[in-house]
């Protein structure tokens, strides 16, 4: 097989890039390790920056998002019984975020790929990348008993944190920066009325909690749990009791509980791999960087990579201009590190760190007191939360 851009990974990054390039007449093949049902069964992000929303519109995939997604102009931070609304629109000249599930967005991207006859191969095994520094890099893989070779101009590694693309870059070229937090998030999806129309990020003496949502009848809640906890350790009853214990009393009083329809634990990790280009391989999204979910920046950081890569590839194919490809790594990483900083800051601000010395605990409390009292600090939070410009 032959294509212009071979894309590893059929998650949001790979599908969005494939769709955008197709609309510009650039041929792609997407290789996905899992079945479509498996990919669509993963419950992940819920908050999209405006830049991401604009990209979905450019990709002609925004109809359902625009009708079913919710615009949020603000969110709450709770500290024990205190609650402060962060007025996103007020602090950012009218900007907002969109609450629309990653699952739904991925479904929309798959449907758009189908409609245009895009090639997405599922259940591919043993994906390997070859000759990445040559003019004709290749991808080989298997589907069942078929062996496939794809000759490409470029390979995009959009295969997430555990993918093969990043691992195809020689060790002496790649530098990895990593910070693992000593806790994870236990998430529950339930068909209950969300406790608040806007998200609540809650710091409490028992640890962090988050009240989020997918729609008027579908809630998404998270609690911080120690690393090592397993989903089986947490019955629905235990989850609701712990969530209630971490929220302000007025929120707890109106919390509707019900059976979980999904329950999973995500570890909290910060990670960046540099460079994001090796020869004719470009990394994008979680393949190159991970953030703890506290700032809702993971998927949104993937979106800015796709934006830069899309424009760079279009300039290459339509105008013979490689400036965008040559500056991809530098531009993408500059924004990636700002999202890392923000996610790290928000994680440190709101979680319980069991081993923190008393001095650091006082500083954490002072940081939150300062935030609640300072328009400048809240403005900075709002600017980052709605998303820095691409
Ligand atoms: P993905 O979604 O991991 O997709 C990569 C795809 O590659 C496939 N794959 C392979 N395919 C072929 N060959 C191989 N060898 C392969 N290895 C892997 C995988 O099967 C998969 O389908 O990466 P992508 O596309 O870069 O998208 C990134 C986002 O998924 C991620 O950043 C977000 O979900 C992070 N995130 C959030 N981001 C936000 O912007 N806002 C949020 O509110 C938010 N909340 C979250 C989150 C992530 C969470 N978890 C579970 C980590 C909440 C949670 C709980
Ligand atoms: C979610 O709804 O899944 C969600 C929302 C905000 C975050 C993280 C996850 O910061």
């Amino acid at each position: 097989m032959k294509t212009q851009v071979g894309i590893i990974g059929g998650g949001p990054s790979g599908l969005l890039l494939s769709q955008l390039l197709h609309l510009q007449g650039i041929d792609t093949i997407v290789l996905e390790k899992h079945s479509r049902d498996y990919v669509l069964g993963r419950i992940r992000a819920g908050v999209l920056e405006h830049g991401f929303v604009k990209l979905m519109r450019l990709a002609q995939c925004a109809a359902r998002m625009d009708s079913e997604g919710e615009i949020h102009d603000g969110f709450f931070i709770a500290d024990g019984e205190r609650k402060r609304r962060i007025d996103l629109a007020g602090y950012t000249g009218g900007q907002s975020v969109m609450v629309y599930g990653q699952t739904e967005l991925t479904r929309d991207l798959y449907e758009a790929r189908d409609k245009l006859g895009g090639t997405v191969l599922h259940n591919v095994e043993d994906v390997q990348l070859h000759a990445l520094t040559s003019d004709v890099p290749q991808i080989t893989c298997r589907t069942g008993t078929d062996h496939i070779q794809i000759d490409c101009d470029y390979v995009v590694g959009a295969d997430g944190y555990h993918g093969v693309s990043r691992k195809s870059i020689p060790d002496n070229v790649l530098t990895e920066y990593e910070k693992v937090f000593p806790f994870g998030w236990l998430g529950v999806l339930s068909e209950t009325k969300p406790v608040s129309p806007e998200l609540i990020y809650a710091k409490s003496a028992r640890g962090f909690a988050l009240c989020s949502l997918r729609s008027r009848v579908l809630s998404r809640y998270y609690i911080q749990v120690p690393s090592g906890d397993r989903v089986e350790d947490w019955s629905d009853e235990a989850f609701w009791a712990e969530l209630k214990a971490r929220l302000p009393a007025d929120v707890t009083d109106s919390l509707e509980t019900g059976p979980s329809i999904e329950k999973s634990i995500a570890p909290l990790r910060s990670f960046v791999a540099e460079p994001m280009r090796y020869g004719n391989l470009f990394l994008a999204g979680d393949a190159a960087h991970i953030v703890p979910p506290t700032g809702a920046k993971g998927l949104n950081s993937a979106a800015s990579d796709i934006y830069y890569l899309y424009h760079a590839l279009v300039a290459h194919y339509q105008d013979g201009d490689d400036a965008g490809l040559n500056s991809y790594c530098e531009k993408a990483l500059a924004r990636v590190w700002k999202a890392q900083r923000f996610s790290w800051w928000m994680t440190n601000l709101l979680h319980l760190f069991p081993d923190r010395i008393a001095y650091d605990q006082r500083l954490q409390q002072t940081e939150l007191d300062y935030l609640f009292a300072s328009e400048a600090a809240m403005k900075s939070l709002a600017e980052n939360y709605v998303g820095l410009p691409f």
Side-chain angles (χ1 to χ4, degrees):
M1 294 171 93
K2 214 171 155 37
T3 189
Q4 289 172 301
V5 183
I7 300 177
I8 323 283
S13 300
L15 294 170
L16 180 58
L17 182 64
S18 169
Q19 174 72 4
L20 288 164
L21 292 177
H22 192 133
L23 292 171
Q24 296 295 325
I26 299 167
D27 189 55
T28 65
I29 294 177
V30 177
L31 299 177
E32 168 55 48
K33 183 179 179 175
H34 293 289
S35 68
R36 185 183 291 207
D37 283 349
Y38 178 92
V39 174
L40 292 177
R42 295 188 297 221
I43 308 292
R44 289 184 166 185
V47 175
L48 308 178
E49 294 174 0
H50 182 62
F52 197 110
V53 169
K54 262 176 44 191
L55 266 186
M56 287 291 284
R57 291 183 186 142
L58 189 65
Q60 301 179 6
C61 293
R64 206 158 63 94
M65 179 188 74
D66 280 330
S67 72
E68 294 177 18
E70 280 187 21
I71 303 281
H72 283 217
D73 290 332
F75 67 89
F76 291 93
I77 293 191
D79 173 26
E81 291 300 320
R82 289 196 294 171
K83 225 164 61 189
R84 188 73 146 132
R85 182 170 185 270
I86 308 296
D87 179 4
L88 293 174
Y91 285 128
T92 62
Q95 295 188 65
S96 55
V97 291
M98 169 87 83
V99 171
Y100 187 64
Q102 178 170 332
T103 313
E104 300 312 313
L105 174 151
T106 309
R107 192 189 307 281
D108 297 343
L109 286 165
Y110 271 125
E111 277 173 15
R113 294 286 50 229
D114 288 347
K115 228 191 241 167
L116 293 184
T119 307
V120 182
L121 302 180
H122 281 278
N123 302 308
V124 297
E125 294 172 80
D126 196 20
V127 173
Q128 293 182 29
L129 314 187
H130 311 272
L132 293 171
T133 53
S134 79
D135 287 343
V136 191
Q138 285 126 26
I139 308 169
T140 57
C141 63
R142 271 188 304 114
T143 52
T145 52
D146 293 339
H147 288 263
I148 297 172
Q149 174 175 327
I150 305 170
D151 294 346
C152 323
D153 299 338
Y154 298 105
V155 177
V156 172
D159 48 353
Y161 179 68
H162 298 288
V164 293
S165 303
R166 187 182 68 252
K167 293 172 190 146
S168 307
I169 301 179
D171 285 351
N172 62 349
V173 174
L174 200 69
T175 305
E176 297 185 338
Y177 301 89
E178 186 174 46
K179 182 180 175 68
V180 179
F181 293 89
F183 40 73
W185 279 16
L186 169 63
V188 157
L189 192 67
S190 72
E191 286 168 332
T192 49
K193 183 173 174 286
V195 70
S196 160
E198 293 186 335
L199 273 69
I200 304 173
Y201 290 81
K203 173 177 179 282
S204 86
R206 300 176 67 91
F208 172 78
L210 170 61
C211 307
S212 182
L213 64 156
R214 291 290 177 272
S215 72
R216 298 286 156 92
V217 290
L218 198 54
S219 300
R220 181 69 167 161
Y221 297 104
Y222 297 95
I223 55 171
Q224 170 188 354
V225 294
S227 301
D229 271 23
R230 295 166 313 157
V231 172
E232 308 82 79
D233 300 334
W234 285 90
S235 65
D236 286 0
E237 293 68 31
F239 176 85
W240 292 120
E242 190 56 40
L243 177 66
K244 284 180 175 177
R246 296 183 186 191
L247 298 173
D250 63 319
V251 179
T252 298
D253 288 347
S254 51
L255 183 75
E256 192 181 297
T257 63
S260 63
I261 55 170
E262 194 269 355
K263 199 190 279 168
S264 51
I265 293 185
L268 262 67
R269 180 194 307 275
S270 297
F271 174 84
V272 183
E274 295 186 355
M276 288 171 64
R277 175 183 190 173
Y278 173 66
N280 286 320
L281 166 69
F282 294 85
L283 299 180
D286 278 17
H289 43 78
I290 300 279
V291 285
T294 326
K297 288 286 162 259
L299 183 56
N300 292 304
S301 297
S304 59
D305 295 350
I306 297 308
Y307 174 87
Y308 294 131
L309 209 42
Y310 160 66
H311 284 287
L313 287 165
V314 169
H316 167 81
Y317 283 111
Q318 293 183 353
D319 308 320
D321 176 0
D322 283 353
L325 288 176
N326 292 333
S327 62
Y328 170 69
C329 185
E330 191 188 331
K331 266 194 188 158
L333 280 169
R335 192 171 188 280
V336 159
W337 275 108
K338 287 180 191 141
Q340 291 281 327
R341 183 203 72 82
F342 177 65
S343 308
W344 161 86
W345 174 80
M346 219 166 144
T347 302
N348 277 302
L349 181 72
L350 298 173
H351 288 76
L352 178 68
F353 288 76
D355 297 332
R356 228 174 215 174
I357 59 172
Y359 178 87
D360 288 343
Q361 285 173 19
R362 290 300 295 263
L363 272 190
Q364 182 191 36
Q365 193 54 50
T366 307
E367 181 81 26
L368 201 50
D369 292 345
Y370 170 63
L371 176 70
F372 277 22
S374 162
E375 296 288 323
M378 282 188 283
K379 188 169 180 184
S380 168
L381 167 55
E383 176 189 46
N384 280 278
Y385 196 85
V386 299
L388 298 173
F390 292 174

